[in-house]
Amino acid sequence: MEKIPVYFMPGLAASTTIFERIELPEEQFEIYLLQWIIPLKKESLEAYALRLSKYITHENPVLVGVSFGGILVQELSKIIPVRKVIIISSVKSNLEFPRRMKVAKSTKVYKLLPTSLVQNIDSLAKYAFGDTVTQRLKLYEKYLCVRDKVYLDWAIESVILWNRNSPDEKVIHIHGENDEVFPVKYIKGAILVKGGTHIMILNKFKWLNENLPKIILKEVGVG
């Protein structure tokens, strides 16, 4: 049986180590890890996705994206044929953004974020992961590795200004009930994970390892 290629894209500023506990049955699936590349000057999200698509070398892959990576895999799916798009701890359109992100867009306050001070990893990680993580600094230093100012400025602006205003109904959305970055009250049509937070790729890996194979192989999601 031909194995199904599954490409994973991490969240904002995150490294591929966030997927270290994700396991799929080796007889059915092959895992590939995408990583962030530094954007070009004033590069659009669409143009960035086109460049990143060159790293996907299989036909009709499954794309799995976490947080901002979930936004990016949706953009990738406009460029290449895919078997399935699965987003985790992310959004399907800007209608699912929390109010603070909509305010940030209208006021352009995101331009004032001190991304040049990324050595202060704690302030960056609060933006990327939320406030309520145990052993926060230890986790951040391990999992948040992209500290390039050009990338961070571009990534934050790309999230805030994402222009998709209607969800793709084919996208499968897995979301934690306690997500503090994208609160569940704004999310529609997702597979909800009890107790899941914005970093459930790390601490709900058992649920994901059990259910991702079913979700990939089924026409509809679990639950």
Side-chain angles (χ1 to χ4, degrees):
M1 183 177 70
E2 192 171 344
K3 294 183 181 181
I4 298 171
V6 184
Y7 283 77
F8 285 83
M9 187 76 210
L12 192 152
S15 74
T16 57
T17 56
I18 68 168
F19 302 117
E20 65 185 0
R21 296 177 178 176
I22 298 300
E23 297 176 353
L24 302 176
E26 292 183 3
E27 67 276 10
Q28 291 176 294
F29 306 98
E30 281 187 312
I31 289 178
Y32 299 90
L33 303 178
L34 294 168
Q35 53 191 331
W36 296 105
I37 55 178
I38 302 303
L40 305 176
K41 189 174 182 180
K42 295 185 177 179
E43 187 171 26
S44 69
L45 187 59
E46 292 82 2
Y48 184 92
L50 181 61
R51 277 204 301 138
L52 194 67
S53 71
K54 309 303 182 190
Y55 295 89
I56 298 174
T57 57
H58 298 80
E59 293 185 1
N60 294 310
V62 174
L63 302 181
V64 182
V66 173
S67 193
F68 180 36
I71 290 175
L72 189 59
V73 296
Q74 291 174 78
E75 292 299 317
L76 284 166
S77 71
K78 296 186 205 172
I79 298 167
I80 61 170
V82 297
R83 178 181 179 125
K84 198 160 285 190
V85 174
I86 300 168
I87 64 173
I88 300 169
S89 308
S90 189
V91 290
K92 297 181 293 298
S93 77
N94 56 25
L95 300 178
E96 295 184 325
F97 283 170
R99 186 174 293 109
R100 67 178 179 273
M101 290 181 70
K102 295 176 181 176
V103 169
K105 179 179 180 180
S106 62
T107 61
K108 293 185 167 51
V109 70
Y110 62 89
K111 290 181 178 291
L112 304 177
L113 286 170
T115 55
S116 59
L117 305 176
V118 294
Q119 282 68 27
N120 182 2
I121 189 96
D122 192 46
S123 62
L124 166 64
K126 282 181 183 177
Y127 185 86
F129 275 166
D131 288 328
T132 57
V133 183
T134 55
Q135 296 181 299
R136 195 190 304 157
L137 283 174
K138 185 177 174 183
L139 282 172
Y140 293 165
E141 295 200 1
K142 179 174 182 179
Y143 296 115
L144 286 183
C145 69
V146 189
R147 304 180 192 180
D148 180 273
K149 175 173 163 46
V150 171
Y151 164 80
L152 292 168
D153 285 337
W154 170 85
I156 290 169
E157 183 171 66
S158 294
V159 173
I160 298 293
L161 300 184
W162 192 39
N163 59 10
R164 173 165 283 183
N165 54 24
S166 60
D168 181 346
E169 299 299 329
K170 296 190 296 294
V171 170
I172 296 170
H173 189 171
I174 303 171
H175 209 79
E177 289 184 345
N178 300 328
D179 193 303
E180 63 279 11
V181 175
F182 297 120
V184 72
K185 66 180 179 179
Y186 300 107
I187 303 298
K188 294 182 179 178
I191 300 166
L192 297 181
V193 179
K194 187 175 181 179
T197 65
H198 196 63
I199 60 159
M200 67 178 184
I201 193 70
L202 300 178
N203 54 28
K204 291 292 182 182
F205 65 92
K206 290 181 181 177
W207 187 97
L208 291 164
N209 288 345
E210 180 183 346
N211 288 285
L212 273 176
K214 303 175 195 174
I215 292 170
I216 291 170
L217 294 172
K218 283 173 63 176
E219 292 302 314
V220 294
V222 172

